[in-house]
Amino acid sequence: MATPALQSAGRVTHRRCFFGHPEKTKSSILSVKRCDNGGGRRGRNLRCANAVNGAFKINGKAADVRSSAAQPVTVGNDDDAFRLGKFVEGRLVYRQRFVIRSYEIGPDRTATMETLMNLLQETALNHVMSSGLAGDGFGATRQMSLRKLIWVVTRINIQVDKYSQWGDVVEIDTWVASSGKNGMRRDWVIRDRRTKKMIARATSNWVMMNRETRRLSKIPEEVREEVLPFYLDRNIIAGDTNTSRRIEKLTDATAESVRSGLAPRWSDMDVNQHVNNVKYIGWILESVPLKVLVEYHLTSITLDYRRECRQSQLLESLTTMSSTGRMQPSTLQSTHLIRQQDDKAEIVRARAEWRCKGHR
């Protein structure tokens, strides 16, 4: 028999529930009782929340606190927004704030591209969770979980105007839309919390895959009905031919630098049992010349995911750089490939743009 949850509701106001500390009574019943004014003034609207072994009561009356299908997780003040975020624009856009931590910055004391990609992923997953659609998968809906389906990214482009520094607070908006007959597009906007200025934007395309057969799948009608109410037809990187055009395939003959022996670690895997899509950024940078990493900012990167990667596979990173200026180029372009070392099978193609750190 499952042990009763060691938590109880303490304060209930404005659709929020705060948890107190459970205590064991003489009869071994887990109980918590805590009261407040429910948000009213001068002690009015007094509300007492009591939970005994999972039974929840407000002012002595039983209350049903079970969540129904597609019931959003609501949050109230700014402190909650740092933890879960909130819906805006009629629940079509999900917004979340993050503080840039010391372990999320690079040698130049600014957030790394990997940090930004991780924040985008975190916001997307919390969007699904807070919408009430989450099943038992990694961002999968209930109907997807029933059918053993997962989302896999096929392409992502992120463009950065300014990198945040340690301690800065960023605000990320995300939303979804359809992409063709059997895909979904997810877009993001990153703003500086203090200035409200947009500092980065990203767009991505996703398809479904069966988590057991590892084969791509059409979107079932039941899943389409789940996500359709959340679709917002808004392109954050609209009409960008650089984003949509085909990425050139690198070979041993065309690559300027090759880094071999890259081994995925256990910590590089995600819950879908393959390398997380963010991890490829680090491997791409392994074959970029050190001078470029030191003197340039990575301002844009497009990743075209060709196949999934498991922990047992050794990888190679290939890079070719090209300049767009004269003598002392202020911007650079680069083409990349991550492939399996043994059979040279492609895993990720990428194209990037760089801006000299001293150039504005």
Side-chain angles (χ1 to χ4, degrees), residues 175-179 183-186 230-234:
W175 61 92
V176 293
S178 63
S179 178
M184 185 183 75
R185 191 188 79 245
R186 177 176 287 279
F230 295 91
Y231 278 178
L232 175 63
D233 189 14
R234 177 187 299 170

Side-chain angles (χ1 to χ4, degrees), residues 105-162:
I105 62 175
D108 60 357
R109 301 191 179 189
T110 62
T112 64
M113 180 63 78
E114 288 178 277
T115 293
L116 298 185
M117 294 274 285
N118 278 319
L119 295 183
L120 298 184
Q121 179 174 267
E122 181 70 10
T123 307
L125 291 172
N126 287 338
H127 181 195
V128 177
M129 181 184 67
S130 298
S131 69
L133 294 176
D136 60 359
F138 197 50
T141 68
R142 291 187 179 89
Q143 291 297 328
M144 288 176 63
S145 296
L146 290 174
R147 292 162 175 79
K148 302 178 181 179
L149 297 174
I150 60 176
W151 288 113
V152 290
V153 61
T154 59
R155 193 177 181 94
I156 187 169
N157 171 253
I158 178 169
Q159 301 176 4
V160 182
D161 298 324
K162 178 185 177 183

Side-chain angles (χ1 to χ4, degrees), residues 73-291:
V73 178
T74 56
V75 295
N77 57 28
D78 286 349
D79 292 336
D80 292 327
F82 278 96
R83 181 172 57 89
L84 280 181
K86 62 182 179 180
F87 284 97
V88 296
E89 299 188 42
R91 294 191 67 206
L92 294 177
V93 176
Y94 182 75
R95 178 173 294 168
Q96 187 166 2
R97 299 173 193 163
F98 299 92
V99 178
I100 303 300
R101 309 294 184 182
S102 60
Y103 51 82
E104 295 174 323
I105 62 175
D108 60 357
R109 301 191 179 189
T110 62
T112 64
M113 180 63 78
E114 288 178 277
T115 293
L116 298 185
M117 294 274 285
N118 278 319
L119 295 183
L120 298 184
Q121 179 174 267
E122 181 70 10
T123 307
L125 291 172
N126 287 338
H127 181 195
V128 177
M129 181 184 67
S130 298
S131 69
L133 294 176
D136 60 359
F138 197 50
T141 68
R142 291 187 179 89
Q143 291 297 328
M144 288 176 63
S145 296
L146 290 174
R147 292 162 175 79
K148 302 178 181 179
L149 297 174
I150 60 176
W151 288 113
V152 290
V153 61
T154 59
R155 193 177 181 94
I156 187 169
N157 171 253
I158 178 169
Q159 301 176 4
V160 182
D161 298 324
K162 178 185 177 183
Y163 282 93
S164 301
Q165 297 181 333
W166 174 24
D168 286 351
V169 179
V170 296
E171 186 174 79
I172 303 179
D173 286 0
T174 187
W175 61 92
V176 293
S178 63
S179 178
K181 293 183 179 180
N182 287 293
M184 185 183 75
R185 191 188 79 245
R186 177 176 287 279
D187 288 358
W188 297 266
V189 170
I190 304 180
R191 296 184 181 87
D192 183 276
R193 170 65 176 149
R194 182 178 59 84
T195 66
K196 302 297 183 181
K197 291 183 178 180
M198 182 169 62
I199 58 176
R201 64 195 69 80
T203 187
S204 60
N205 291 310
W206 301 74
V207 295
M208 288 188 179
M209 183 176 75
N210 186 291
R211 69 169 179 256
E212 292 188 351
T213 66
R214 315 308 284 188
R215 292 182 178 179
L216 298 183
S217 168
K218 294 182 178 180
I219 299 181
E221 193 59 34
E222 293 82 357
V223 176
R224 198 182 306 274
E225 292 176 358
E226 278 185 312
V227 298
L228 186 61
F230 295 91
Y231 278 178
L232 175 63
D233 189 14
R234 177 187 299 170
N235 294 297
I236 192 58
I237 308 180
D240 191 333
T241 56
N242 185 56
T243 301
S244 58
R245 67 183 175 90
R246 186 173 179 270
I247 301 176
E248 175 189 355
K249 178 183 177 180
L250 286 183
T251 64
D252 290 321
T254 58
E256 295 177 352
S257 59
V258 179
R259 178 69 184 275
S260 302
L262 302 174
R265 302 167 300 177
W266 175 251
S267 59
D268 295 327
M269 304 294 117
D270 63 25
V271 298
N272 288 329
Q273 307 303 312
H274 57 204
V275 171
N276 186 274
N277 65 83
V278 178
K279 299 298 182 179
Y280 295 104
I281 298 289
W283 291 327
I284 286 172
L285 298 182
E286 285 293 322
S287 57
V288 174
L290 180 59
K291 180 180 177 64

